[in-house]
Amino acid sequence: MTSRRNVIIASLLCLLPMLAAASWRESVPQARLVGEGELRFFGFRIYDARLWSEQAPLQAQAPFALELTYHRAISREDFVRTSLEEIQRLSGEPADSPRLRQWRAEMQQAFVDVTPGERITGVFLPGRGCRFYVNDRLQHEVADPTFADAFFAIWLDPRSRDQKLRRNLLGQR
């Protein structure tokens, strides 16, 4: 009985950081808008993006939040597939690597099917990983700094596919 109780207590303690982080703004309390832009694909507006940080210009190891407000319905599977393709392109990681399989599983938990008007906000936590919020509700935390670096590189790496969006997010209009 004591062993089972200890497991329950340990499980609850693991959940405390997630319960404490009710909004992404609590993870980056002094965040100010660094930049914003939009992603269009064949003329269709996909999402508006806003980059928030306590540091402007954005510093390499400062926490930040990337907020995406969607204008189209997108499935979780499309999020995961597209994110993995971009991570693989930027990192050179083989598609069948154990690391990418693990990251796929993390993203399956972090993302949801979205409808127009919904927001997904990713919070970069230097040296710790990242958190994903859906409409200000914590969806999932990934305790892997390498994943966090690779994921946010999709938008912020100099080799990002959308250079205009990258410049706008970084406030380099």
Side-chain angles (χ1 to χ4, degrees), residues 60-142:
Q61 288 302 306
F64 63 81
L66 179 64
E67 177 186 56
L68 305 178
T69 303
Y70 290 87
H71 297 285
R72 309 195 79 62
I74 301 174
S75 73
R76 173 192 329 231
E77 286 304 317
D78 284 345
F79 281 129
V80 172
R81 179 185 45 75
T82 303
S83 297
L84 281 173
E85 287 170 1
E86 284 304 294
I87 289 170
Q88 182 184 12
R89 181 182 71 81
L90 292 168
S91 71
E93 188 83 26
D96 61 347
S97 75
R99 176 179 280 177
L100 285 186
R101 283 195 298 274
Q102 175 61 38
W103 290 355
R104 173 185 295 279
E106 296 285 4
M107 287 188 282
Q108 287 285 345
Q109 294 177 61
F111 302 152
V112 298
D113 297 335
V114 295
T115 58
E118 289 189 297
R119 286 184 331 274
I120 294 181
T121 305
V123 177
F124 177 78
L125 303 167
R128 292 178 37 210
C130 56
R131 291 182 182 143
F132 293 94
Y133 295 80
V134 176
N135 298 324
D136 290 328
R137 184 183 62 77
L138 181 62
Q139 177 72 20
H140 186 62
E141 183 167 353
V142 181

Side-chain angles (χ1 to χ4, degrees), residues 7 11 13 15 35 45 65 86 91 102 112 118 126 128 147 157:
V7 169
S11 298
L13 289 174
L15 291 174
R45 197 164 148 205
E86 284 304 294
S91 71
Q102 175 61 38
V112 298
E118 289 189 297
R128 292 178 37 210
F147 168 78
D157 189 277

Side-chain angles (χ1 to χ4, degrees), residues 16-60:
L16 283 178
M18 295 176 85
L19 296 173
S23 165
W24 71 261
R25 291 185 183 275
E26 292 176 17
S27 298
V28 192
Q30 303 297 316
R32 295 179 307 277
L33 185 64
V34 175
E36 58 189 325
E38 67 180 12
L39 178 70
R40 288 186 174 269
F41 191 69
F42 292 116
F44 292 101
R45 197 164 148 205
I46 308 300
Y47 59 72
D48 292 331
R50 300 170 85 186
L51 184 65
W52 301 85
S53 179
E54 295 175 350
Q55 305 284 324
L58 188 65
Q59 304 297 311

